[in-house]
PDB file of all heavy atoms in Angstrom:
ATOM      1  N   GLU A  22     -86.050  56.825 110.638  1.00 96.00           N
ATOM      2  CA  GLU A  22     -86.952  57.963 110.482  1.00 96.00           C
ATOM      3  C   GLU A  22     -86.642  58.972 111.590  1.00 96.00           C
ATOM      4  O   GLU A  22     -86.584  58.617 112.765  1.00 96.00           O
ATOM      5  CB  GLU A  22     -88.419  57.513 110.576  1.00 96.00           C
ATOM      6  CG  GLU A  22     -89.373  58.577 110.106  1.00 96.00           C
ATOM      7  CD  GLU A  22     -90.833  58.115 110.058  1.00 96.00           C
ATOM      8  OE1 GLU A  22     -91.173  57.107 110.716  1.00 96.00           O
ATOM      9  OE2 GLU A  22     -91.623  58.777 109.372  1.00 96.00           O
ATOM     10  N   ASP A 121     -92.936  43.367 119.099  1.00 93.00           N
ATOM     11  CA  ASP A 121     -93.984  44.376 118.927  1.00 93.00           C
ATOM     12  C   ASP A 121     -93.422  45.720 118.480  1.00 93.00           C
ATOM     13  O   ASP A 121     -92.490  46.243 119.094  1.00 93.00           O
ATOM     14  CB  ASP A 121     -94.742  44.590 120.245  1.00 93.00           C
ATOM     15  CG  ASP A 121     -95.685  43.450 120.548  1.00 93.00           C
ATOM     16  OD1 ASP A 121     -96.408  43.033 119.632  1.00 93.00           O
ATOM     17  OD2 ASP A 121     -95.676  42.956 121.691  1.00 93.00           O
ATOM     18  N   SER A 122     -94.060  46.295 117.478  1.00 96.00           N
ATOM     19  CA  SER A 122     -93.699  47.644 117.032  1.00 96.00           C
ATOM     20  C   SER A 122     -93.873  48.619 118.196  1.00 96.00           C
ATOM     21  O   SER A 122     -94.886  48.591 118.880  1.00 96.00           O
ATOM     22  CB  SER A 122     -94.615  48.075 115.889  1.00 96.00           C
ATOM     23  OG  SER A 122     -94.512  47.188 114.809  1.00 96.00           O
ATOM     24  N   ARG A 182     -88.717  49.063 105.916  1.00 98.00           N
ATOM     25  CA  ARG A 182     -89.034  50.427 106.355  1.00 98.00           C
ATOM     26  C   ARG A 182     -87.767  51.223 106.643  1.00 98.00           C
ATOM     27  O   ARG A 182     -87.607  52.359 106.205  1.00 98.00           O
ATOM     28  CB  ARG A 182     -89.943  50.396 107.576  1.00 98.00           C
ATOM     29  CG  ARG A 182     -91.414  50.136 107.209  1.00 98.00           C
ATOM     30  CD  ARG A 182     -92.257  49.991 108.463  1.00 98.00           C
ATOM     31  NE  ARG A 182     -93.647  49.637 108.173  1.00 98.00           N
ATOM     32  CZ  ARG A 182     -94.055  48.480 107.670  1.00 98.00           C
ATOM     33  NH1 ARG A 182     -93.173  47.540 107.345  1.00 98.00           N
ATOM     34  NH2 ARG A 182     -95.342  48.244 107.464  1.00 98.00           N
TER      35      ARG A 182
ATOM     36  N   MET R 220     -98.795  52.398 108.760  1.00 97.00           N
ATOM     37  CA  MET R 220     -97.726  51.818 107.950  1.00 97.00           C
ATOM     38  C   MET R 220     -96.358  52.264 108.476  1.00 97.00           C
ATOM     39  O   MET R 220     -95.449  51.453 108.638  1.00 97.00           O
ATOM     40  CB  MET R 220     -97.934  52.229 106.491  1.00 97.00           C
ATOM     41  CG  MET R 220     -96.936  51.701 105.492  1.00 97.00           C
ATOM     42  SD  MET R 220     -95.520  52.796 105.281  1.00 97.00           S
ATOM     43  CE  MET R 220     -96.299  54.220 104.504  1.00 97.00           C
ATOM     44  N   ARG R 221     -96.231  53.556 108.775  1.00 97.00           N
ATOM     45  CA  ARG R 221     -94.958  54.059 109.295  1.00 97.00           C
ATOM     46  C   ARG R 221     -94.610  53.444 110.646  1.00 97.00           C
ATOM     47  O   ARG R 221     -93.452  53.144 110.920  1.00 97.00           O
ATOM     48  CB  ARG R 221     -95.010  55.580 109.464  1.00 97.00           C
ATOM     49  CG  ARG R 221     -94.855  56.357 108.179  1.00 97.00           C
ATOM     50  CD  ARG R 221     -94.946  57.847 108.448  1.00 97.00           C
ATOM     51  NE  ARG R 221     -94.936  58.601 107.200  1.00 97.00           N
ATOM     52  CZ  ARG R 221     -93.819  59.031 106.604  1.00 97.00           C
ATOM     53  NH1 ARG R 221     -92.641  58.830 107.152  1.00 97.00           N
ATOM     54  NH2 ARG R 221     -93.880  59.680 105.471  1.00 97.00           N
ATOM     55  N   GLY R 223     -95.605  50.632 111.749  1.00 96.00           N
ATOM     56  CA  GLY R 223     -95.563  49.170 111.715  1.00 96.00           C
ATOM     57  C   GLY R 223     -96.638  48.551 112.587  1.00 96.00           C
ATOM     58  O   GLY R 223     -96.444  47.503 113.190  1.00 96.00           O
ATOM     59  N   ARG R 337     -99.941  50.236 129.745  1.00 92.00           N
ATOM     60  CA  ARG R 337     -98.490  50.452 129.632  1.00 92.00           C
ATOM     61  C   ARG R 337     -97.840  49.228 129.020  1.00 92.00           C
ATOM     62  O   ARG R 337     -97.093  48.490 129.659  1.00 92.00           O
ATOM     63  CB  ARG R 337     -97.902  50.777 131.006  1.00 92.00           C
ATOM     64  CG  ARG R 337     -97.997  52.263 131.281  1.00 92.00           C
ATOM     65  CD  ARG R 337     -97.464  52.684 132.600  1.00 92.00           C
ATOM     66  NE  ARG R 337     -96.370  51.878 133.103  1.00 92.00           N
ATOM     67  CZ  ARG R 337     -95.641  52.212 134.156  1.00 92.00           C
ATOM     68  NH1 ARG R 337     -95.871  53.333 134.786  1.00 92.00           N
ATOM     69  NH2 ARG R 337     -94.682  51.433 134.582  1.00 92.00           N
ATOM     70  N   GLN R 342    -100.390  45.262 122.021  1.00 93.00           N
ATOM     71  CA  GLN R 342    -100.880  44.459 123.142  1.00 93.00           C
ATOM     72  C   GLN R 342    -101.802  45.234 124.075  1.00 93.00           C
ATOM     73  O   GLN R 342    -102.496  44.637 124.906  1.00 93.00           O
ATOM     74  CB  GLN R 342     -99.699  43.966 123.982  1.00 93.00           C
ATOM     75  CG  GLN R 342     -98.839  42.924 123.316  1.00 93.00           C
ATOM     76  CD  GLN R 342     -97.690  42.530 124.234  1.00 93.00           C
ATOM     77  OE1 GLN R 342     -97.826  42.522 125.456  1.00 93.00           O
ATOM     78  NE2 GLN R 342     -96.549  42.216 123.655  1.00 93.00           N
TER      79      GLN R 342
END
Side-chain angles (χ1 to χ4, degrees):
Chain A
E22 193 174 19
D121 285 314
S122 301
R182 280 175 185 68
Chain R
M220 181 270 293
R221 282 179 186 271
R337 273 179 31 170
Q342 290 179 33

